[in-house]
Amino acid sequence: MKQLLRNLALALALTSLFACMAVSARAGDDVPRGPVEDAYAITIKTLAAKGKAPPPAWRPPHRDKLMSRSLAALFARDDLYQEESGDMGQIGADPFLNGQDGKIKKLSFDTIPVAAGKATVVANFRSFGKPVAVQFQMLRENGGWRIDDIVNSFEGQRYSIREALSQPYDCGSFMGKPCKR
């Protein structure tokens, strides 16, 4: 009888542990800023890496967890273009840094509810001593929050990463025109 109770207690403890792990694995997308916080944690690790850096937040394995299906597909198309053409894609800088290089100091987040299932998250930080603000359009999709667009600023002009990635390419299998490498 004691053995049965021990086994039952162990089974309940393991079930609780796995349930907590499943919840914590998804906890980051329960609030609009969760995927943005996760993306910056990845970006900070990438910047700190010595030698071979881990992939940035817009590349696998991260993008499908952090981004809406449609934004992830646009980034995947840009990666395919770069692979097929050997040229740079539509984005010439790290969208999370709003530049080709940077540092992230004094990182903070502001969340602005927009409508049901939509929000804006603004990441504020200092990079090389200058203030940087990156805006994220968030969308509730598949039971969690996802990044649906990234809006950066350059010389006072705002630009949408989604809009840049939506532009046509000169070539590519997805354009029906092979690239000549």
Side-chain angles (χ1 to χ4, degrees):
M1 183 68 165
K2 281 185 180 182
Q3 186 63 34
L4 179 62
L5 288 175
R6 278 189 212 146
N7 288 345
L8 182 59
L10 179 61
L12 286 173
L14 287 173
T15 301
S16 297
L17 175 65
F18 290 132
C20 287
M21 287 171 45
V23 167
S24 66
R26 276 207 59 229
D29 69 355
D30 288 343
V31 294
R33 67 190 267 169
V36 178
E37 289 175 338
D38 290 348
Y40 277 96
I42 293 162
T43 302
I44 290 167
K45 284 181 188 173
T46 301
L47 290 171
K50 305 252 191 263
K52 185 173 168 57
W58 67 87
R59 294 238 160 82
H62 314 296
R63 76 171 157 227
D64 290 335
K65 178 183 182 268
L66 301 174
M67 298 180 180
S68 66
R69 284 186 302 263
S70 61
L71 186 60
L74 289 171
F75 271 105
R77 183 178 83 148
D78 198 62
D79 285 350
L80 181 59
Y81 170 75
Q82 291 176 57
E83 182 181 307
E84 291 180 359
S85 70
D87 292 332
M88 184 168 56
Q90 303 289 29
I91 306 298
D94 183 324
F96 295 93
L97 294 174
N98 193 19
Q100 290 181 337
D101 195 13
K103 292 185 176 191
I104 298 175
K105 303 284 184 190
K106 298 183 180 180
L107 178 63
S108 66
F109 303 97
D110 295 313
T111 303
I112 305 157
V114 175
K118 294 187 177 192
T120 299
V121 174
V122 180
N124 298 289
F125 56 94
R126 296 193 69 78
S127 180
F128 299 121
K130 296 183 180 181
V132 177
V134 179
Q135 192 176 86
F136 296 86
Q137 304 303 316
M138 305 302 293
L139 175 69
R140 192 129 175 93
E141 182 179 86
N142 290 336
W145 287 95
R146 304 288 182 266
I147 298 167
D148 195 46
D149 195 6
I150 304 168
V151 180
N152 284 309
S153 296
F154 183 70
E155 296 180 349
Q157 297 284 24
R158 292 168 36 103
Y159 63 95
S160 159
I161 298 299
R162 172 181 283 285
E163 188 176 305
L165 290 171
S166 296
Q167 298 303 310
Y169 293 81
D170 295 334
C171 63
S173 59
F174 52 89
M175 296 295 293
K177 181 180 176 187
C179 296
K180 296 175 185 168
R181 255 185 124 172

